[in-house]
Amino acid sequence: MAELLEHIAEVVETTRSIVEIIPETAAADPFMMGMPRTTTFSDAPPLVYAESLNSGQLIDYPALVKRCRRSYDLLRAVALLPETTDRGRG
C-alpha cells in the first residue's frame, strides 16, 4: 500500500493530475465501476473508454456517453473538499 501511495503522489507531482477522495459511504452508479475516460474531439462526438479489471469497452452511443459523463460529474460532486483532506496542505 505504501508503494501505491508513493506512486500516486509521484504521478500527481509530475503530471496535471488531481486526486479526489470519494467517501466510502457515497452512493456510486454501477456504470462508473472501473476507470472511465472521456475523450472529446473538435470534429466528432465524444467517446468514453470504460476499463475494468479484465476488459475495456469503447462507448460511442450518445445516450451512454451522456450517462457516463453525468455519473462522473455526480461522483466528483461528492468528493471531499481539499481542506478536509491532506490535499489541503500545501
Side-chain angles (χ1 to χ4, degrees):
M1 179 64 93
E3 286 180 28
L4 176 61
L5 292 173
E6 288 174 13
H7 175 70
I8 292 170
E10 181 181 333
V11 168
V12 168
E13 290 172 2
T14 59
T15 65
R16 295 181 357 161
S17 300
I18 297 171
V19 174
E20 293 185 294
I21 310 299
I22 308 297
E24 203 173 20
T25 57
D29 186 336
F31 190 71
M32 292 302 295
M33 298 316 236
M35 302 192 34
R37 292 177 186 88
T38 301
T39 305
T40 56
F41 307 94
S42 60
D43 60 347
L47 299 172
V48 171
Y49 178 72
E51 187 175 50
S52 63
L53 183 60
N54 297 309
S55 67
Q57 179 182 13
L58 187 61
I59 301 167
D60 62 354
Y61 184 64
L64 287 178
V65 170
K66 184 177 180 178
R67 178 178 173 194
C68 185
R69 293 176 84 175
R70 178 166 164 41
S71 294
Y72 183 73
D73 289 344
L74 291 172
L75 195 57
R76 288 190 69 202
V78 299
L80 299 176
L81 297 173
E83 53 270 9
T84 62
T85 68
D86 285 341
R87 291 186 302 156
R89 290 194 269 168

